[in-house]
Amino acid sequence: ACFRLLCSLLLPALFLSGVLCVSLVVLLWGTRLWIQRKKQLNSAGRDGKQPLVVAFFHPYCNAGGGGERVLWCAIRTLQKKYRNVTCVVYTGDRDATGEEIVEGAFRRFNIKLIHPVKFVFLKKRYLVEASLYPHFTLLGQSLGSVFLGWEALLKCVPDIYIDSMGYAFTLPLFKYLGGCRVGCYVHYPTISTDMLSVVRNQDTRFNNAAFITNSPFFSKFKLAYYYFFAFMYGLVGSCSDVVMVNSSWTLNHIISLWRAGACTSVVYPPCDVQTFLDIPLEVEKSTNEYSIVSVSQFRPEKDHPLQIRAFAKLLKEKRVGQQPSLKLVLIGGCRNQQDEERVNSLKRLCEELGVSNDVMFRINIPFEELKRHLAEATIGLHTMWNEHFGIGVVECMAAGTVILAHNSGGPKLDIVVSYEGRITGFLAEDEDSYAETMAYIFSLSPEKRLEIRENARRSVHRFSDHHFEDTFLLSVEPLFK
């Protein structure tokens, strides 16, 4: 009787599941045919006569960060190499015109495009905003990116699709429904083995709240959620025909998660080192004030509080003896109200530590002012844990500051490394080691500091625009065959 009851329940369930699976396959296949028909009607073929449409998915293309510099350099590189290519950018920056966005790229990054770019403006960018998902943010943003990608695909079906902002969940959409060749440039893995270890070890960080670390149940639940997400992330990422990563650190994580080593390569981001190389390098003149400069967006992972605390410790312990006074200059971009609130919180921290008069905030400043601050600085400071690359670190080195970065990620593996057997900068990990290393740098003779600055400057040619162009073209070549 039990067996008959089981069969009477199981068989209909299996039949229904089969029908649903077949229906789903038919629906997806029909959708693909419909999209291909739509593509043919728009005459975007690969026949050599019509231009090849290469689309970049970059919902925040009008922002001023390193990721945007990669985007515009990549487009300019393709325009130089291929005459029969039309570049498209999917963006959610509907508060600006295409002309204003291109002008902004030239003003911020000194990148002038050779041909016009077509912009596809997306209405649903709010679906990838972190603020929309106070819980399960990774999953929420990733699912949101699928809907945003669907909007993009319906508005323009390209021949080649490149995700240049880290929305890996859009890759299968464009590959299997859009019939595109797909590639991606990964600035930072959405999830990493380091993030898994933070939750496993119950460490409190900006992305792992104290109420979770204090609860074994919540920690185990979050770990299970992270493992599930990592599995899904690996599946969608492996759809790529070409994978470009920005550093050795990112490469290690992406290969372990996506298992697509054969089509994965390191393409260092293009840093505008040439612009900083005209800053003269010479032995420092005697001065009444030394400055320490930090260049990074005011985001939580950049860990500005660590910079302020280490600087306060340096002043408090008077490690610099009777040397001239010190000034900490925090330079960065504010994207929204959350960033502005973060800056106000940092200013309150300065008041609490009694260093308000010694810390300067310079927000959204013009490039020439940034350059002037770097030219005057003795130390370039960077404190992000596991920074995936670190364009700001490279810029500080090119400008001739003595760099002090975090002993992890890109700075440790790729940037602040010995060059021709000579030291190029320093690494630290916590408040004490940052304060001690800053004191050590100031204790060096001006001649010794000059030697380190010269070594650093020679080493950063590896991260130039020209080097990026060569490696980028080599990596994307399979997409054009």
Side-chain angles (χ1 to χ4, degrees), residues 227-245:
Y227 272 116
F228 167 74
F229 185 85
F231 172 74
M232 296 300 296
Y233 184 59
L235 279 183
V236 297
S238 63
C239 295
S240 276
D241 300 306
V242 164
V243 181
M244 293 166 280
V245 298

Side-chain angles (χ1 to χ4, degrees), residues 312-324:
K313 195 176 191 71
L314 177 69
L315 294 183
K316 184 179 178 182
E317 299 189 5
K318 295 183 180 176
R319 295 170 185 263
V320 290
Q322 300 303 312
Q323 288 185 15

Side-chain angles (χ1 to χ4, degrees), residues 66 70 185 187 245-247 267-271 389-391 463-464 468:
V70 170
Y185 188 94
H187 299 273
V245 298
N246 66 345
S247 69
V267 179
Y268 289 130
C271 306
F389 179 71
I391 288 179
F463 311 118
S464 65
F468 169 82

Side-chain angles (χ1 to χ4, degrees), residues 156-182:
C156 175
V157 186
D159 299 294
I160 296 170
Y161 170 80
I162 299 175
D163 163 44
S164 53
M165 210 178 162
Y167 292 106
F169 281 74
T170 62
L171 294 169
L173 191 70
F174 279 83
K175 182 167 186 173
Y176 299 117
L177 293 185
C180 313
R181 297 180 186 185
V182 300

Side-chain angles (χ1 to χ4, degrees), residues 379-393:
I379 295 176
L381 193 59
H382 185 273
T383 48
M384 180 176 168
W385 171 73
N386 270 344
E387 170 75 89
H388 40 298
F389 179 71
I391 288 179
V393 175

Side-chain angles (χ1 to χ4, degrees), residues 275-462:
T275 306
F276 295 98
L277 294 181
D278 61 357
I279 296 174
L281 276 194
E282 51 193 27
V283 176
E284 304 149 24
K285 297 168 185 170
S286 59
T287 176
N288 294 323
E289 184 179 87
Y290 283 129
S291 68
I292 302 162
V293 170
S294 159
V295 182
S296 59
Q297 289 181 314
F298 288 100
R299 304 205 306 258
E301 63 271 24
K302 298 299 182 181
D303 204 354
H304 288 90
L306 174 56
Q307 299 179 3
I308 294 167
R309 288 196 301 270
F311 178 69
K313 195 176 191 71
L314 177 69
L315 294 183
K316 184 179 178 182
E317 299 189 5
K318 295 183 180 176
R319 295 170 185 263
V320 290
Q322 300 303 312
Q323 288 185 15
S325 63
L326 300 178
K327 181 81 68 179
L328 174 63
V329 185
L330 302 180
I331 300 173
C334 273
R335 302 161 299 171
N336 48 41
Q337 190 179 344
Q338 282 180 313
D339 287 356
E340 289 169 11
E341 289 170 0
R342 202 166 286 119
V343 169
N344 290 332
S345 173
L346 292 172
K347 288 179 178 176
R348 288 195 293 273
L349 177 62
C350 290
E351 288 174 11
E352 289 169 19
L353 296 173
V355 295
S356 292
N357 295 332
D358 304 300
V359 179
M360 295 167 56
F361 288 83
R362 292 291 178 264
I363 299 160
N364 298 331
I365 60 174
F367 181 76
E368 285 306 314
E369 188 180 341
L370 163 67
K371 196 171 169 181
R372 180 174 58 80
H373 280 295
L374 285 174
E376 294 170 354
T378 300
I379 295 176
L381 193 59
H382 185 273
T383 48
M384 180 176 168
W385 171 73
N386 270 344
E387 170 75 89
H388 40 298
F389 179 71
I391 288 179
V393 175
V394 173
E395 289 176 345
C396 285
M397 292 167 74
T401 68
V402 179
I403 191 67
L404 173 55
H406 200 281
N407 189 28
S408 62
K412 178 184 180 180
L413 296 175
D414 294 307
I415 306 173
V416 191
V417 296
S418 293
Y419 183 72
E420 296 178 350
R422 295 185 176 97
I423 187 170
T424 58
F426 298 89
L427 299 168
E429 292 182 1
D430 54 25
E431 188 180 316
D432 289 337
S433 59
Y434 268 99
E436 285 169 12
T437 310
M438 282 190 282
Y440 174 73
I441 293 168
F442 284 120
S443 74
L444 295 172
S445 68
E447 291 77 17
K448 181 61 180 174
R449 282 200 292 266
L450 178 62
E451 185 185 317
I452 295 169
R453 292 157 63 206
E454 287 173 338
N455 296 339
R457 179 171 275 191
R458 279 195 293 270
S459 76
V460 297
H461 287 287
R462 299 170 294 144

